[in-house]
Amino acid sequence: MTSAGSFYITTPIYYPSDLPHIGHGYTSVAVDTLARWHRQAGDDTWMLTGTDEHGQKMLRAAAANSVTPQQWVDKLVTESWFPLLRTLDVANDDFIRTTQERHEHNVQVFFQALYDRGYIYAGEYEALYCVGCEEFKPESEIVDGTGPFEGLKVCAIHSKPLELLQEKNYFFKLSEFGDRLLELYKTQPDFVRPESARNEVVSFVKQGLKDLSISRSTFDWGIKVPWDQSHVIYVWVDALLNYITAIGYGSDEETFARRWPAYHVVGKDILRFHAVIWPALLMAAGLEVPRGVFAHGWLLVGGEKMSKSKLTGIAPTEITDVFGSDAYRFYFLSAIPFGHDGSFSWEDLSARYQAELANGFGNLASRTTAMIERYFEGIVPAPGEDTDRDVAVQRTVADAAAAADAAVERFRIDEAIAAIWTIVDELNAYITDNEPWALAKDDAQRERLGTVLYTAAEGLRALAVLLSPVMPIATEKLWVALGAAESLGRLVDQPIRDAGRWGILKPGTSVNGLAPLFPRVEQPA
Ligand code: MSP
């Protein structure tokens, strides 16, 4: 069985001990938008997200709160992580927790398979470990501490002291996979994207790979090594395996064959795990490597990577409570070139909300539907003869739809939205130039008025379809207001790759009143 035609996409699984902030939300809405797009294109789509619940970080946080690690993660997942998906309107197909039986059991199956194939051996280890990263740190990421940590070695990412660990560990023979990985990056140039991420990974692997410690014996909050109960599997290996245990690895081979391989979208901080260690583990097990890994940038607040531990964390609800989830999704996905870092500021968010959503798209939708109600008693008019200007609008729509689909193929959601926005700008200019309110005063222009309003409404039909993966709530309202729900069926069923075809909205359907899609907001203090 082949997996051609399937589109399986994942977010990283989140550490539940951090409360969700807008950086986590960013990864999730990006993946959700890509999944919604493919689903609407008719691809056999599956979106997975979840939580990474083992490891020392979780164990310590639970102890600090005087509960068992299981109680700790159960509470956080139910109180914070499930609700995040609703807050941001994420339509994931599955949610995996690494403490679930379906995961734990099949991680052991995989681990045993690696052992049986000769890729695991026992050895002694001594190195500096960062509990924040859950990683033994390479030289290049160890820096001298400052302030309270003066004189200590700290993690370059967390600025917290590293711990010297010395134990007997099981090792994975990562060092044997350098050549095969380099070959993979060469023959599949899109395996790591964007280009900057690919270059980083290639030069990292070219420096030579060391074997990887993949078990721990000084604590037990993890999945036991199947042949040695005194060890738990290294939390990153446990975590990476979620991508296959969730789709039936070890238990449902048919589903596994249908879904795998996946596209992984990750923050650039966890690129190496996904683009180096993960494909090597899969190669060792004799499984296919992922289709690709896309690394997005960081959200910066005040010039620094936003993080809870540095007290720059902003909860997604702070934004959605004021602006709504569509605006959250639109803002982060359009304002930041996907793959680059982006600075968040309330001023920028408010300005774009007002200019692009309220005045641009929202106003276009309100005035078009209002004019159809006023001049045609709420019935979408039939178009008459097209002028060059009308044809130009039709071409803009066709070009934008094609460009957006091509951009989504490259994971460039920002470019897709920019392409779609040419329709918003073109239609607003079209209405201003054609002055339907003036045409309405002249009976001889009745047919022209019908053409202009049909063109605007049909353009809005295309916008609703193309923007629904990005802004599911507002586009649904628009869809209903255009009367399209009755004549064309559900918005999510509209084939997105046909969205640029002209003349789909049927004349004669009833337009319903439309409340402002993006109402004026009270500026947060
Ligand atoms: N549990 C691991 C991932 C295991 S995947 C097999 C992990 N979890 S995390 O909760 O720390 O991070 C999850 C995702 O959130 C990562 O993609 C990370 O890049 C992203 N972000 C965390 N802070 C971020 C920003 N400030 N900006 C953008 N994304 C950031 O790592």
Side-chain angles (χ1 to χ4, degrees):
M1 191 167 163
T2 88
S3 49
S6 90
F7 183 80
Y8 171 36
I9 188 162
T10 68
T11 72
I13 48 172
Y14 302 98
Y15 291 128
S17 54
D18 290 336
L19 288 178
H21 59 55
I22 56 176
H24 305 124
Y26 178 53
T27 315
S28 291
V29 298
V31 170
D32 181 52
T33 297
L34 294 164
R36 284 174 183 267
W37 188 283
H38 281 270
R39 216 176 273 131
Q40 218 176 308
D43 297 335
D44 182 18
T45 303
W46 196 253
M47 174 188 161
L48 176 69
T49 187
T51 41
D52 184 356
E53 306 186 358
H54 292 126
Q56 217 163 351
K57 180 155 53 178
M58 222 57 65
L59 185 63
R60 286 188 188 173
N65 286 277
S66 313
V67 289
T68 66
Q70 190 66 60
Q71 287 168 330
W72 176 242
V73 292
D74 284 349
K75 177 177 154 66
L76 289 162
V77 170
T78 2
E79 289 178 5
S80 303
W81 290 89
F82 287 155
L84 175 70
L85 300 170
R86 288 193 291 279
T87 300
L88 300 177
D89 292 305
V90 173
N92 52 304
D93 295 292
D94 194 4
F95 189 103
I96 188 159
R97 302 182 54 185
T98 54
T99 50
Q100 287 167 337
E101 167 64 19
R102 63 167 170 164
H103 176 73
E104 295 191 340
H105 175 73
N106 293 310
V107 166
Q108 290 187 318
V109 170
F110 183 94
F111 220 70
Q112 185 70 48
L114 282 200
Y115 189 58
D116 295 345
R117 293 167 76 101
Y119 288 108
I120 294 180
Y121 65 93
E124 278 295 324
Y125 204 50
E126 183 181 288
L128 290 170
Y129 194 84
C130 170
V131 177
C133 296
E134 292 281 16
E135 186 185 11
F136 285 108
K137 300 309 291 185
E139 273 305 316
S140 57
E141 287 171 23
I142 299 175
V143 296
D144 289 323
T146 53
F149 305 132
E150 186 93 44
L152 296 173
K153 293 291 179 195
V154 303
C155 165
I157 294 171
H158 290 88
S159 308
K160 297 244 176 77
L162 297 163
E163 300 177 21
L164 184 68
L165 297 184
Q166 196 175 18
E167 42 182 87
K168 178 194 151 197
N169 281 171
Y170 288 101
F171 284 81
F172 168 56
K173 292 183 181 169
L174 181 62
S175 61
E176 289 189 6
F177 289 88
D179 290 344
R180 282 182 68 186
L181 286 168
L182 290 171
E183 186 61 22
L184 168 67
Y185 310 140
K186 199 160 122 197
T187 53
Q188 227 175 288
D190 279 352
F191 182 75
V192 186
R193 281 183 285 184
E195 189 67 24
S196 54
R198 180 175 183 275
N199 293 340
E200 184 205 310
V201 165
V202 169
S203 64
F204 176 76
V205 174
K206 277 192 176 152
Q207 284 165 24
L209 295 172
K210 292 206 186 85
D211 287 348
L212 179 72
S213 156
I214 51 164
S215 75
R216 302 290 307 279
S217 60
T218 48
F219 63 92
D220 68 355
W221 180 238
I223 303 174
K224 297 238 178 336
V225 169
W227 63 89
D228 182 346
Q229 304 286 306
S230 65
H231 282 247
V232 293
I233 294 168
Y234 173 40
V235 65
W236 260 103
V237 172
D238 165 352
L240 288 163
L241 285 165
N242 91 86
Y243 300 133
I244 60 172
T245 58
I247 50 160
Y249 168 81
S251 61
D252 176 356
E253 289 308 321
E254 200 180 320
T255 306
F256 181 60
R258 172 173 171 195
R259 303 269 173 235
W260 189 253
Y263 286 105
H264 303 303
V265 174
V266 301
K268 64 181 184 183
D269 47 329
I270 54 174
L271 174 63
R272 274 183 218 162
F273 290 104
H274 287 83
V276 180
I277 296 174
W278 179 225
L281 286 167
L282 289 161
M283 286 171 181
L287 297 173
E288 271 184 89
V289 297
R291 286 225 161 92
V293 177
F294 191 99
H296 67 68
W298 284 342
L299 297 188
L300 309 174
V301 175
E304 269 203 62
K305 179 184 180 218
M306 194 202 52
S307 83
K308 192 78 190 157
S309 53
K310 291 189 177 160
L311 298 178
T312 49
I314 299 170
T317 46
E318 289 179 54
I319 293 179
T320 56
D321 286 351
V322 179
F323 295 93
S325 60
D326 278 348
Y328 180 107
R329 299 168 63 102
F330 172 80
Y331 172 69
F332 288 110
L333 298 178
S334 65
I336 304 168
F338 202 50
H340 296 245
D341 290 348
S343 292
F344 169 79
S345 78
W346 288 100
E347 292 73 20
D348 190 33
L349 168 61
S350 301
R352 284 175 191 266
Y353 178 86
Q354 201 50 44
E356 290 162 36
L357 294 180
N359 298 343
F361 179 39
N363 191 34
L364 172 68
S366 320
R367 60 180 179 157
T368 302
T369 48
M371 284 190 284
I372 293 176
E373 289 192 310
R374 191 170 325 134
Y375 305 139
F376 289 94
E377 280 145 9
I379 306 293
V380 174
E385 192 87 354
D386 285 334
T387 64
D388 286 352
R389 187 67 208 273
D390 307 328
V391 173
V393 171
Q394 298 171 16
R395 195 169 314 122
T396 299
V397 170
D399 291 350
D405 192 46
V408 168
E409 280 303 310
R410 298 191 307 273
F411 285 64
R412 287 301 299 265
I413 309 171
D414 56 303
E415 288 179 0
I417 298 174
I420 298 166
W421 227 255
T422 61
I423 305 177
V424 175
D425 294 339
E426 169 83 349
L427 286 178
N428 272 323
Y430 174 83
I431 292 178
T432 308
D433 295 350
N434 282 285
E435 300 187 319
W437 45 88
L439 297 173
K441 291 190 183 128
D442 181 356
D443 272 351
Q445 298 285 357
R446 187 81 185 150
E447 183 180 308
R448 182 67 200 142
L449 178 63
T451 308
V452 170
L453 291 181
Y454 178 80
T455 301
E458 169 62 352
L460 279 172
R461 187 276 312 156
L463 280 173
V465 175
L466 291 166
L467 288 172
S468 104
V470 183
M471 295 187 278
I473 308 284
T475 51
E476 181 62 38
K477 285 188 193 148
L478 173 58
W479 193 246
V480 171
L482 286 172
E486 270 174 44
S487 58
L488 297 173
R490 297 193 324 159
L491 176 58
V492 290
D493 293 337
Q494 305 303 307
I496 210 159
R497 290 188 185 122
D498 284 347
R501 207 150 50 75
W502 194 256
I504 292 178
L505 189 67
K506 295 192 175 76
T509 48
S510 300
V511 162
N512 310 301
L514 182 63
L517 290 179
F518 303 99
R520 201 161 270 290
V521 296
E522 288 302 318
Q523 301 281 329

